[in-house]
Each structure stands twice: as C-alpha cells, then as structure tokens.
Amino acid sequence: MKNLKKYILPVLLLFAGSVIAQQTPAPQQDRAISIVGATAHVGNGEVIENSVIIFENGKLTTVTDAASTNRQYPGTVIDAKGKHVYPGFIAPNSSLGLVEIDAVVQSDDEDELGELLPHVRSLIAYNAESQVVESMRPNGVLVGQIAPRGGRISGTSSIVQFDAWNWEDAVLKEDDGLHINWPNSVRRGRWWMGEDPGIKPNDDYSKDLQELSSFFKNAKAYLAGPQEKANLPFQAMKTVFNGKKKIYIHADSEKEIIDVLAFKEEHQLENVVLVGAYDAFKVANQIKAANVPVLVGRVHETPQMEDQDYDLPYKLAYLLNREGILVGLETSGDMERMNSRNLPFYAGTVTGYGLSKTDALKMITSNTAKILGVDDSLGTLEAGKDATLFISEGDALDMRTNKVARAFIQGREISLESHQTELAKRYTEKYGQQEKK
C-alpha cells in the first residue's frame, strides 16, 4: 500500500498540471496582417469609422481611413466590417499572477514580511501560467501592472503582457514603480475592546508619517555617503530619488491626500501617482496644481460613508477628469484578481455618469499608459507602437456586446480559450445532447 501511494501522488500531480496549464503562448508574428473595414477606436479620442490597420513584426505600421489607401493590403487580410478594433486594455495596480487561490497559502505571493520593503520585486513571483490571468484576455485586458501588497512600502511593480511562458517573457517594463500604503488618518472603534464602533482619528497617524519620512531621509543620507555597508532597502531607493521609478501612493481620505502632496514637496519627489484617492474630488485643485495623476479605485462599489452620494464611486472619474487631472481606472479590492476582467465594464459604467465613451476608453488605454510610463509602445493604435489590440463584435465597454473575436499581443495572435471557456463548451454540449433526447 505504501508503494502504491508513492506512485499515486506524482500521477495525480501530472494529471492536475495537464488540466490547469495555460494556453500555449503564440509564436512570433511571421507575416503582415491587415485588418480592413472595422471601426477603429484609437484610444486618444479619435475614432476611424472605416479603417485599415496594418502591422508587421509586432509593430503597427498603418492606422488610417480606408478611403485614403489603395486596395492592395499586405499579408493576411482580415475583413472586419461591422466590427470594432481597440488597443489592448491595461489593468494597473493589479496582483494578477501573484495569487492563484486565496485559501491556498502556497499560491499566495503578493506580500512579504516586514513594513519597509522597497527592494522587494513583484515580477519574480509573477505566475505567467495563472488560470486567472488567462481569463482576462477574452474581455480585451491584455496588459497589467503587477503590484505587491502589504506593509508600509510594499515593493516594486512591473508591467507585463498576458501571453507568456514565464515572467522573463512577459515583462514589458521592469520595476516601473514603488508602492506605498499611506497611513490611515482615521480608524474604526474596536468593539471587542469596548470602544465605540464609529470612526475616530488614528492616534498613531503622526507617528506613522514620521517613520515613513525618516526612512526617506535616511535613505537619501545613505545614498549620499560612502555606502560602506550594504543596505538593500536604501539602495533600492536610488531610482526613486532620481525620478526613474514612479511612486504609487495608495491613499483615500482628504487629509491623507493633502499630506501626500506635502510629502511630495518636502522630499522633492518626481512622478508621484495617487492610487484609490476616494476623496480626491474634494481637493482636485491641489492635485491638479501638483501635476499628480490618479488611478481611481474600483467603480463598482458602494459609497464608503453614509452621507455620501450613492453614485460617488461611479462619477468620481468624471469629477477628476473635469478638473483636468489625468485619470486611469484600477480594480483593486475584494476578489480583485477575478474582477480585473471587468475593467472595460467599469469604463462603460462611468460613461453613464458624465464621461463620453472616448474619454472613458482613454482611462483604460492611453491615460493608463501615460500614467505607467509605457505610452511610447502601448495605449493607442498608432504607427510605431506595439500591435497589442483586439477585434470585438460590438462595443467593448458594454458587457452585452463585448465579444472579442481575435486578439493580438505584439503582433502575435493569441488564444482566447481559457479554463472557463472550455467548461462552457463542455457543458453546452452536454445539455445540448440532453435536449436532443
């Protein structure tokens, strides 16, 4: 019996691996592809009703109106009349690929022990064969910023594309930014300790801010000195101080946001981005003056406070965009990895609360690309940029018509199959057979 058990486990693991493995990444583009007749949503506010899109060697070469070109299209020609073409959607501030199953500790790599961890890199923990990552592609979400969680300084994020063998193949921009979880200025009463359950000031807020400020000052002093003794956290701050690495500060309340802007000035920080920023509409003028972009928290939420408008999460993007702030949409929160596939529908929701469809589209394409610093290659359908795009049968911001027919990452046509689509086909066939009986 013992010998039998010894052989059963490896066989089961082998079988499980064959079931859960991701679709094989697509090969490199080997011929030109021309998409003709589709409505092209360029991502910068421009819409071309009858377009020609041509790409070779993974790069876009032509994006124009069909009336301005001849009829000789190179390579494989895709007739897309009546369909729509979009740049691949970008999911910022995501933990995709860092956690597969919340209840399985061994599959959770989103957090590390400690509070001040600027040297921790999320990229090396990224699982390119995640089934959850695979499920993003059928909705047009083709790129993501993979960010760590936990601690005061969580570590650095990296930007990846969602069709790869491993993290080395997936990476588009390595260690793009540092993520800081700003201290909470308020807290809820601990009922289990007999405290009033209402919201009250956090007595440790000033102390937490001082600790964060001291870390920045000490890191600067260390980098300015001889550095005789290695200090990995301080060394990791070099690219933060010289502006090469962005600083994503996660903060929500009005007071916290004001303190973030003051912190930026005090430490002369460049490239600061606010993440979440729930109360940002209250201090929009200050945010605009500081030239700080905002990644607005998940749209499909209820208000955080009882006295707030019921639709505040839906219209926050509009309120900030109206003030001239560069805005992108992010999806963190409960079930955030699974919910990231709903990114286009968050953009669709904000169109009902003040924003045009072109402005909403920017918030998951060109605006996000600018905020992440990858707008030279992603975010819009323009010659010279990566051919990362997809063809939808209808409006990609509407869950009723977002039906991705074909998708390409850097010119490679990727599979739109996933574990979920395979199960859908399996049970559709099953119940179809039963109906015939």
Side-chain angles (χ1 to χ4, degrees), residues 4 9 34 56 88 117 124 185 232 269 290 331 356 359 387 396 412 425:
L4 181 60
L9 182 58
S34 301
E56 298 183 65
L117 306 169
I124 59 174
S185 60
L232 292 180
L269 302 175
T331 64
S356 66
D359 281 341
R412 301 175 294 108
K425 290 178 181 177

Side-chain angles (χ1 to χ4, degrees), residues 415-426:
S415 170
L416 295 173
E417 293 298 323
S418 69
H419 184 60
Q420 293 175 329
T421 59
E422 289 171 1
L423 286 175
K425 290 178 181 177
R426 176 182 175 187

Side-chain angles (χ1 to χ4, degrees), residues 41-45 58-60 63 86-92 140-146 158-163 169-174 176 248 326 361-390 408-412 414:
H41 302 264
V42 178
N44 59 4
K59 296 289 185 180
L60 289 160
V63 179
Y86 295 85
F89 298 151
I90 306 169
V141 182
L142 307 182
V143 175
Q145 179 197 44
I146 309 307
S158 290
I159 298 164
V160 302
Q161 50 85 6
F162 293 153
D163 185 63
D169 294 339
V171 65
L172 297 175
K173 186 172 184 179
E174 190 169 340
D176 72 290
Y248 298 90
L326 183 63
L361 179 62
K362 287 180 185 180
M363 293 182 181
I364 57 175
T365 55
S366 61
N367 282 13
T368 300
K370 289 176 185 175
I371 292 170
L372 302 186
V374 291
D375 52 312
D376 60 334
S377 58
L378 294 168
T380 57
L381 302 174
E382 296 181 90
K385 293 194 176 185
D386 287 355
T388 298
L389 52 92
F390 65 91
F408 303 83
I409 292 179
Q410 296 178 320
R412 301 175 294 108
I414 65 172

Side-chain angles (χ1 to χ4, degrees), residues 44-357:
N44 59 4
E46 182 183 0
V47 177
I48 304 173
E49 295 292 345
N50 180 25
S51 68
V52 172
I53 300 171
I54 303 171
F55 49 96
E56 298 183 65
N57 300 317
K59 296 289 185 180
L60 289 160
T61 59
T62 301
V63 179
T64 189
D65 193 306
S68 64
T69 63
N70 59 41
R71 295 295 176 180
Q72 299 300 316
Y73 304 120
T76 302
V77 178
I78 300 173
D79 183 357
K81 289 184 179 67
K83 297 181 180 179
H84 300 257
V85 178
Y86 295 85
F89 298 151
I90 306 169
N93 183 39
S94 171
S95 56
L96 281 164
L98 299 182
V99 184
E100 193 67 6
I101 303 172
D102 288 321
V104 179
V105 176
Q106 292 82 352
S107 75
D108 188 336
D109 272 331
E110 69 177 348
D111 191 4
E112 291 289 344
L113 293 174
E115 287 294 309
L116 303 170
L117 306 169
H119 56 300
V120 168
R121 304 171 65 227
S122 65
L123 180 61
I124 59 174
Y126 175 70
N127 175 20
E129 292 197 349
S130 164
Q131 280 187 296
V132 185
V133 170
E134 185 180 65
S135 70
M136 301 298 113
R137 302 182 305 194
N139 279 358
V141 182
L142 307 182
V143 175
Q145 179 197 44
I146 309 307
R149 299 284 186 253
R152 181 66 62 222
I153 300 179
S154 303
T156 62
S157 57
S158 290
I159 298 164
V160 302
Q161 50 85 6
F162 293 153
D163 185 63
W165 290 102
N166 47 49
W167 66 262
E168 292 97 333
D169 294 339
V171 65
L172 297 175
K173 186 172 184 179
E174 190 169 340
D175 299 331
D176 72 290
L178 183 74
H179 289 255
I180 298 175
N181 296 308
W182 198 255
N184 291 320
S185 60
V186 297
R187 66 177 180 83
R188 292 187 180 275
R190 296 165 292 187
W191 58 267
W192 59 92
M193 295 184 66
E195 295 179 356
D196 182 347
I199 294 175
K200 58 189 67 180
N202 178 10
D203 295 335
D204 294 328
Y205 181 64
S206 295
K207 174 188 171 186
D208 293 339
L209 281 190
Q210 184 58 46
E211 288 178 352
L212 184 60
S213 185
S214 294
F215 178 83
F216 271 68
K217 290 176 181 177
N218 291 337
K220 275 188 178 180
Y222 170 85
L223 292 169
Q227 303 177 36
E228 294 174 353
K229 186 177 180 180
N231 187 310
L232 292 180
F234 287 168
Q235 289 172 350
M237 295 295 290
K238 182 177 181 180
T239 49
V240 173
F241 294 136
N242 64 20
K244 292 183 178 179
K245 190 179 289 180
K246 299 212 173 192
I247 308 170
Y248 298 90
I249 302 182
H250 303 239
D252 277 327
S253 79
E254 179 181 0
K255 176 174 176 53
E256 291 160 15
I257 293 169
I258 291 173
D259 288 342
V260 167
L261 299 181
F263 186 85
K264 175 183 181 294
E265 286 298 312
E266 178 187 357
H267 295 279
Q268 299 180 331
L269 302 175
E270 300 179 35
N271 299 325
V272 170
V273 177
L274 278 167
V275 182
Y278 187 78
D279 281 347
F281 68 99
K282 297 179 181 178
V283 287
N285 289 337
Q286 293 97 308
I287 295 172
K288 171 64 177 175
N291 195 30
V292 172
V294 177
L295 290 173
V296 171
R298 188 186 297 176
V299 173
H300 291 176
E301 281 192 324
T302 54
Q304 293 181 3
M305 305 296 290
E306 293 180 356
D307 60 347
Q308 291 175 332
D309 292 348
Y310 75 93
D311 56 358
L312 178 58
Y314 305 155
K315 65 184 181 183
L316 178 57
Y318 162 71
L319 295 175
L320 299 181
N321 183 76
R322 183 181 63 184
E323 299 301 322
I325 296 171
L326 183 63
V327 178
L329 303 182
E330 59 105 4
T331 64
S332 63
D334 293 339
M335 298 279 292
E336 68 176 74
R337 288 164 293 281
M338 294 71 178
N339 273 305
S340 292
R341 73 188 65 148
N342 292 325
L343 179 64
F345 311 137
Y346 297 160
T349 295
V350 300
T351 64
Y353 292 84
L355 282 167
S356 66
K357 283 198 174 180

